[in-house]
Amino acid sequence: MVVPVSCRAALIAAALVVLCALPALAEDVEQKDEVLDIGTVHVMERGARPVTLEPRRETIDIEEYELPGTPASVVDVLRTMPLVDFRQESDMVPEDDSVYLRGFDSTRFSTAMNGLTIRQSGGRKSSNIVDYGALIPLWMIGDIEILPGPHSALYPAKSFGGVLNIRPRVPSREELQDAQVNFSASYGSFNTASTHLDGHGGVDSVFYDLGVQRYTTDGYLRHTDAEIDTFYGRGGYLFEDDGFLTLSYLYVDADRNLAVANDPTQADFDDDYPHVDKDTPEFSDWQHPASDKVAQSVDLYFVKPTGMGEVSVAASHRTENRDRKYDEIPRGGGPVQDGSWNTKWEQRAVKLMDVVEINGENTLTVGVEGSQLLDGYGRTNWDSAYASHERVRTLAGFAEHNWDITPRLHLSLGARYESVETWTANVKSSGDKWISYKDDWINRTFDGFTPKSFLTWELDDVDASLRDTSVSVGVSRIWRAPDYHGNMNPQGRPTGAWLDPEHGMGYDLVLQRRLTGDITMKVDFSYYKIYDYMTYNRSFSVLPDYKDYQINLDEVEQKGVEIVLGGHLTDELAFTLGYAYIDMDSLGGELAGEQAVDQRAKHRVNAGLSYALTPQTTLIANYQFKDKQTTEIINYDRNTDVVDSHTEDLDAFHLFDFAVEHTLFDEWKGLSDGTVKVYVNNAFDERYQNVDGYPGTERNFGVSFSVSM
């Protein structure tokens, strides 16, 4: 019997749920690095895909995390988690906003550094809220904390899809005794190469980190070659009471060409590259499109235990200057002209927080957070462009109380008040106003209050069969203001003058259980009700003054399931298995609603294995399944009010990646940890499309080498 691929994924999920009901498979056993408290379960051995599972979060230990290939950015690690949906046109070149979290794009979840949210006003022919290719280098990350859902008061209200909190490593005093230099290099198919050198050291309580990296590729798709150069430096001081202060600087120079059509029916077809239909990409080869960027950031992070609790301050100043270059033919015809957009973004942000322990059973976290998002133009072909202007200003206060009601019952109650002020541009490139009776800048302020709650009950004392098992319930309010260029000024139109904030409720039911040894499973059922969901309505707009160019949908509903299972089957064999199901529906009947929730695979499976063949050699395998993605095609004739619609599907696909990693030497002539890895991605040469109709990368090979001194 042939089982459809979507059913196979569902059957895997069903099998995992059945496992959750089984009694514990073994009594206490001695396990290295294992914590037998269901609230926090660690899987820490090399090659085990070390992930800490908690009911409210999952934490990836980057230093120990094994991948078959050589990661180009933090996204290559995140995409192995079932929570994260990879959305890039090509996996060869890191892009901006290249992942969804629980089916939501970057406007509805947060990426943070040391708890401080990274974001921009965005827009200008791409979303550009977070550019993961211009984020902190992967080798400087200690761990990544993933918080699914809307249940934390510590992050912006827009974070109802969840949070990706990136935490740079902080050295211990023991690590400062000897300086260390690390070097790695890799080379693979499509002339893809990555080289990086980093150094770490310190004297007494002062420490430093320096690193450079260069990533280049010819790309798989036509005209997708790239060069990304990164410099990172950080200085810090360790206090005697485990507090610390760090100040870091990041500089990225990224030159990325953009995919173009490569249609066999066109005269400029090049059979050295895969076929890309002329209607799929935004550009043709004659336009020579590119997205060149220089990004810089200065970040301060301070943590200090005091008599009034542990005080922390995170502050950041980030700038990005992107030159999106391409040739174009004017709308009225005529010779080819430069259609480039040179855009500048700036973020200023600060977060002050205090964590106070009360009687050993209560922890109170209070804080304030603010940000300013500015943007402007460095070069345009119209006179009305502005050099720099504040587009979004946020100010928030938050509190979260964690209470151990009993040794087995834990409650988190939180609340966040947030004020969001926005400025919508109301001037055309000609200098005229879009809305004649409004100001040049339309200023609006939105206020939202979001209560949060999360309750965990550990069932150890209920029955022996429920040992190392917990159940959790999260109930929290959803709220989000129109705080993004694509909401305020899509295609330049001043839709921010009319939009209302999104609001609703989010619910999670989480079951977590240690099955045996360090093998642990977590199952999370989520349900969202979102009212006034913002979406584009350009194709169906009929009202004057752009009142319906972007609209608030009446109601959007989401149902989801996420399963994470992992640990050691034997001392040598470790595994992870993840499954995600998502179903989003627009319930208000708006034509734009169907398009707002399409292009999301209902079923996704991620799995990984690592096997220590010998103490020096490890075999690594990855598997990814993604269900079909359906696109709603709706044609609306305003003159006749006739609607013609149909759907188009991207087929489901399976990907397998394999690698062999071998330690050449532990110590040799002053060098240490010499390691070589040989890998193959898409080993069975699956033909697939990941998003927007672009062909996924064919089978490709590579080798990497790393050493320390």
Side-chain angles (χ1 to χ4, degrees):
M1 180 179 66
V2 178
V3 181
V5 289
S6 60
C7 293
R8 281 183 244 164
L11 288 172
I12 292 173
L16 293 176
V17 173
V18 171
L19 281 175
C20 192
L22 296 176
L25 301 179
E27 297 297 325
D28 279 349
V29 292
E30 183 178 350
Q31 291 281 340
K32 184 187 297 183
D33 293 314
E34 181 187 10
V35 178
L36 300 182
D37 175 357
I38 194 62
T40 306
V41 178
H42 300 279
V43 182
M44 295 297 294
E45 293 187 27
R46 181 177 180 273
R49 291 293 178 80
V51 176
T52 301
L53 297 180
E54 300 177 70
R56 289 184 65 187
R57 61 177 55 82
E58 298 163 21
T59 305
I60 306 172
D61 185 335
I62 292 296
E63 185 176 354
E64 302 293 332
Y65 206 74
E66 294 281 3
L67 289 172
T70 301
S73 75
V74 66
V75 171
D76 292 326
V77 175
L78 291 171
R79 64 187 292 192
T80 65
M81 302 297 292
L83 291 167
V84 179
D85 183 9
F86 180 69
R87 308 290 298 183
Q88 234 171 249
E89 295 173 358
S90 169
D91 56 7
M92 305 296 293
V93 183
E95 299 175 358
D96 60 89
D97 302 308
S98 49
V99 297
Y100 281 12
L101 194 60
R102 278 199 168 171
F104 296 110
D105 64 16
S106 296
T107 63
R108 296 178 177 91
F109 75 88
S110 288
T111 300
M113 186 79 66
N114 283 323
L116 182 62
T117 301
I118 302 169
R119 63 173 167 177
Q120 300 170 140
S121 57
R124 280 59 170 217
K125 295 184 177 291
S126 70
S127 52
N128 209 66
I129 296 173
V130 179
D131 189 341
Y132 292 100
L135 205 57
I136 191 171
L138 190 61
W139 75 85
M140 279 305 304
I141 298 175
D143 59 47
I144 304 173
E145 182 185 39
I146 305 177
L147 293 86
H151 307 300
S152 175
L154 277 54
Y155 294 93
K158 75 157 193 160
S159 312
F160 54 81
V163 177
L164 304 173
N165 183 29
I166 298 168
R167 299 187 290 200
R169 66 178 189 86
V170 177
S172 65
R173 292 183 181 276
E174 291 75 15
E175 293 177 300
L176 301 185
Q177 296 177 6
D178 298 305
Q180 181 178 355
V181 176
N182 304 306
F183 170 80
S184 71
S186 67
Y187 183 80
S189 303
F190 315 113
N191 203 27
T192 300
S194 178
T195 306
H196 99 251
L197 180 70
D198 63 83
H200 315 273
V203 178
D204 295 328
S205 297
V206 178
F207 65 91
Y208 65 87
D209 306 283
L210 293 171
V212 292
Q213 176 172 291
R214 180 173 177 81
Y215 176 81
T216 62
T217 182
D218 288 345
Y220 174 63
L221 302 175
R222 186 178 182 184
H223 200 70
T224 55
D225 51 305
E227 296 181 359
I228 303 175
D229 295 309
T230 303
F231 168 80
Y232 180 80
R234 183 178 69 163
Y237 184 85
L238 297 174
F239 299 108
E240 294 294 336
D241 51 10
D242 295 330
F244 59 89
L245 170 68
T246 64
L247 182 65
S248 63
Y249 172 71
L250 172 69
Y251 178 89
V252 177
D253 186 352
D255 296 335
R256 294 173 279 200
N257 287 329
L258 305 175
V260 299
N262 195 40
D263 194 322
T265 65
Q266 303 298 303
D268 64 350
F269 172 67
D270 187 342
D271 62 4
D272 289 335
Y273 295 93
H275 299 182
V276 177
D277 187 86
K278 63 183 178 62
D279 296 325
T280 294
E282 182 179 354
F283 299 104
S284 297
D285 187 57
W286 65 266
Q287 295 181 273
H288 310 294
S291 180
D292 299 339
K293 175 181 290 186
V294 172
Q296 301 181 72
S297 71
V298 178
D299 294 270
L300 178 145
Y301 191 45
F302 169 80
V303 178
K304 186 76 167 64
T306 71
M308 297 295 291
E310 184 180 83
V311 176
S312 65
V313 179
S316 176
H317 182 228
R318 298 177 178 271
T319 60
E320 290 191 22
N321 186 337
R322 187 190 69 186
D323 194 2
R324 192 173 172 93
K325 300 180 292 187
Y326 56 91
D327 296 330
E328 67 177 2
I329 298 175
R331 291 181 181 177
V336 173
Q337 66 178 18
D338 182 4
S340 303
W341 290 49
N342 183 273
T343 312
K344 298 179 178 179
W345 289 276
E346 183 177 4
Q347 181 203 38
R348 305 164 186 164
V350 63
K351 184 175 186 177
L352 172 64
M353 195 162 63
D354 188 16
V355 182
V356 183
E357 289 193 12
I358 306 171
N359 300 328
E361 298 175 350
N362 295 264
T363 302
L364 175 64
T365 302
V366 295
V368 293
E369 182 176 9
S371 68
Q372 284 182 301
L373 310 182
L374 302 91
D375 62 33
Y377 297 91
R379 185 190 71 257
T380 63
N381 54 10
W382 63 89
D383 296 332
S384 61
Y386 51 92
S388 184
H389 197 284
E390 187 173 14
R391 301 302 306 276
V392 180
R393 182 188 302 170
T394 69
L395 182 62
F398 56 87
E400 188 170 277
H401 189 113
N402 294 292
W403 179 22
D404 294 335
I405 302 173
T406 72
R408 300 297 187 188
L409 190 62
H410 316 283
L411 175 64
S412 175
L413 289 176
R416 184 180 183 94
Y417 172 79
E418 190 164 294
S419 174
V420 179
E421 189 172 6
T422 64
W423 287 264
T424 296
N426 188 35
V427 179
K428 302 179 182 180
S429 58
S430 64
D432 299 328
K433 291 184 179 182
W434 293 99
I435 306 175
S436 60
Y437 53 90
K438 295 281 188 180
D439 294 336
D440 289 358
W441 289 93
I442 302 169
N443 181 215
R444 300 182 69 192
T445 300
F446 309 91
D447 300 273
F449 179 75
T450 52
K452 313 284 185 180
S453 69
F454 199 87
L455 178 69
T456 297
W457 181 22
E458 298 174 9
L459 305 178
D460 299 56
D461 300 331
V462 175
D463 187 83
S465 64
L466 296 176
R467 190 168 178 273
D468 292 335
T469 305
S470 73
V471 58
S472 304
V473 177
V475 180
S476 300
R477 184 172 187 254
I478 289 170
W479 183 85
R480 173 186 167 244
D483 58 356
Y484 158 59
H485 178 91
N487 299 136
M488 297 183 289
N489 285 114
Q491 293 83 44
R493 276 65 170 177
T495 56
W498 315 113
L499 289 172
D500 294 322
E502 300 172 349
H503 58 98
M505 294 293 295
Y507 308 90
D508 277 80
L509 172 63
V510 184
L511 307 175
Q512 186 167 318
R513 180 178 178 84
R514 183 179 70 89
L515 300 178
T516 181
D518 67 356
I519 298 178
T520 303
M521 180 167 64
K522 185 169 81 169
V523 183
D524 189 331
F525 303 90
S526 60
Y527 179 72
Y528 291 17
K529 275 281 190 179
I530 308 170
Y531 302 96
D532 290 331
Y533 190 97
M534 289 175 270
T535 192
Y536 293 104
N537 194 54
R538 177 182 179 180
S539 300
F540 318 111
S541 174
V542 295
L543 296 179
D545 297 329
Y546 312 100
K547 291 181 179 179
D548 63 346
Y549 197 85
Q550 184 160 136
I551 62 172
N552 292 103
L553 299 177
D554 182 53
E555 183 180 354
V556 168
E557 180 182 74
Q558 176 181 303
K559 299 179 287 291
V561 181
E562 294 139 5
I563 302 174
V564 182
L565 176 68
H568 283 79
L569 296 172
T570 70
D571 290 343
E572 297 80 17
L573 180 61
F575 79 102
T576 58
L577 179 62
Y579 167 78
Y581 167 83
I582 183 172
D583 183 21
M584 292 186 68
D585 292 302
S586 176
L587 305 180
E590 303 93 343
L591 290 177
E594 295 301 317
Q595 295 179 321
V597 298
D598 68 356
Q599 295 187 3
R600 289 164 172 84
K602 284 194 174 184
H603 303 279
R604 298 195 316 277
V605 177
N606 298 81
L609 287 173
S610 63
Y611 178 65
L613 186 64
T614 71
Q616 292 78 34
T617 305
T618 302
L619 307 181
I620 306 168
N622 255 16
Y623 167 72
Q624 176 189 350
F625 165 78
K626 195 170 186 177
D627 197 10
K628 70 176 183 180
Q629 300 175 81
T630 299
T631 301
E632 296 286 341
I633 309 297
I634 303 176
N635 298 310
Y636 172 61
D637 189 326
R638 292 179 175 84
N639 296 321
T640 62
D641 200 31
V642 173
V643 176
D644 177 39
S645 65
H646 67 280
T647 61
E648 296 179 359
D649 289 340
L650 298 183
D651 292 337
F653 61 84
H654 306 261
L655 297 180
F656 293 87
D657 304 331
F658 300 101
V660 179
E661 185 177 75
H662 181 71
T663 301
L664 299 173
F665 55 82
D666 294 320
E667 298 288 341
W668 182 72
K669 294 186 177 182
L671 304 178
S672 62
D673 300 323
T675 303
V676 65
K677 180 191 293 184
V678 179
Y679 59 87
V680 53
N681 294 324
N682 191 7
F684 300 119
D685 205 19
E686 178 92 342
R687 302 300 179 181
Y688 70 100
Q689 295 173 319
N690 193 48
V691 65
D692 292 336
Y694 289 95
T697 306
E698 66 185 27
R699 182 192 297 119
N700 59 96
F701 304 87
V703 60
S704 65
F705 172 76
S706 62
V707 67
S708 299
M709 61 193 77

